[in-house]
Amino acid sequence: MDIRDWPNGGIMQLPDCCFGRRWPVVFGGVITAPTSTVYYISELALPERCVLWELGVGSEGVTTKLRMLTNYSFKVGDQLPATAAEFVAMEDMFPGCDEVLNGARIMRDGVVLRRLRVPIASAGRRVVLRVGVPGDENTFFVVGLVFSSFPTEVPDWLSLEKASYP
């Protein structure tokens, strides 16, 4: 059954098995002192509409205090920002993050979120990551996100009698 015209809310009610293959987007590297902010962009673009299933961020520095203060911001965009203002102007991937630092919504180190099921209208843009590291120590970090595309059809065996989406 073709479900291309269904609204996001209807599609998000489908069982997980309808969403198909999932793929990771992983960032990692070493931020060397005295650099405090680094920007990264994913190599591949996301589909027009996609679902974020999992997110994990972590870093390793010399001190625990440094790891706790490392922060991550996620946006969707077409190119790597050259300035903080360009990054802030991009669309937030997680508009509900509670903490805002220098105009960008952030997550702190050590976050692992599973079973998120967050719909994202990426419009074919890529993941843009900002990593902020305080202090003057070298820091290794890794960030992983798992995405799938929205389904465009569902198998006939799936009972959709209660669904009435045009």
Side-chain angles (χ1 to χ4, degrees):
M1 171 189 291
D2 189 342
I3 61 170
R4 293 173 211 269
D5 295 330
W6 281 24
N8 285 357
I11 292 174
M12 293 306 294
Q13 291 180 30
L14 292 169
D16 289 1
C17 64
C18 293
F19 287 85
R21 184 181 77 82
R22 297 178 187 181
W23 69 93
V25 174
V26 179
F27 300 94
V30 176
I31 300 175
T32 56
T35 304
S36 61
T37 302
V38 181
Y39 299 97
Y40 297 90
I41 191 166
S42 61
E43 185 175 336
L44 300 175
L46 298 172
E48 236 7 75
R49 297 188 304 170
C50 59
V51 178
L52 175 64
W53 294 92
E54 297 185 24
L55 165 72
V57 298
S59 67
E60 187 65 44
V62 176
T63 67
T64 303
K65 178 182 176 188
L66 181 63
R67 288 195 309 266
M68 291 173 54
L69 294 175
T70 300
N71 58 75
Y72 307 86
S73 297
F74 299 89
K75 304 268 189 170
V76 287
D78 293 319
Q79 58 189 1
L80 190 66
T83 66
E86 285 180 17
F87 181 78
V88 170
M90 293 178 173
E91 183 181 341
D92 282 324
M93 186 175 286
F94 304 106
C97 279
D98 292 336
E99 192 172 355
V100 177
L101 179 67
N102 298 328
R105 297 188 176 278
I106 66 167
M107 291 181 192
R108 295 287 178 185
D109 189 57
V111 172
V112 176
L113 302 172
R114 296 199 169 124
R115 299 182 187 171
L116 286 175
R117 219 171 207 249
V118 175
I120 296 175
S122 69
R125 294 172 290 175
R126 300 187 281 171
V127 177
V128 180
L129 170 67
R130 176 193 163 279
V131 182
V133 179
D136 57 355
E137 299 175 359
N138 294 346
T139 303
F140 169 78
F141 77 94
V142 65
V143 173
L145 303 103
V146 177
F147 293 94
S148 76
S149 58
F150 262 56
T152 55
E153 47 185 54
V154 293
D156 292 334
W157 57 262
L158 187 62
S159 175
L160 298 174
E161 294 173 13
K162 295 180 183 176
S164 59
Y165 301 109

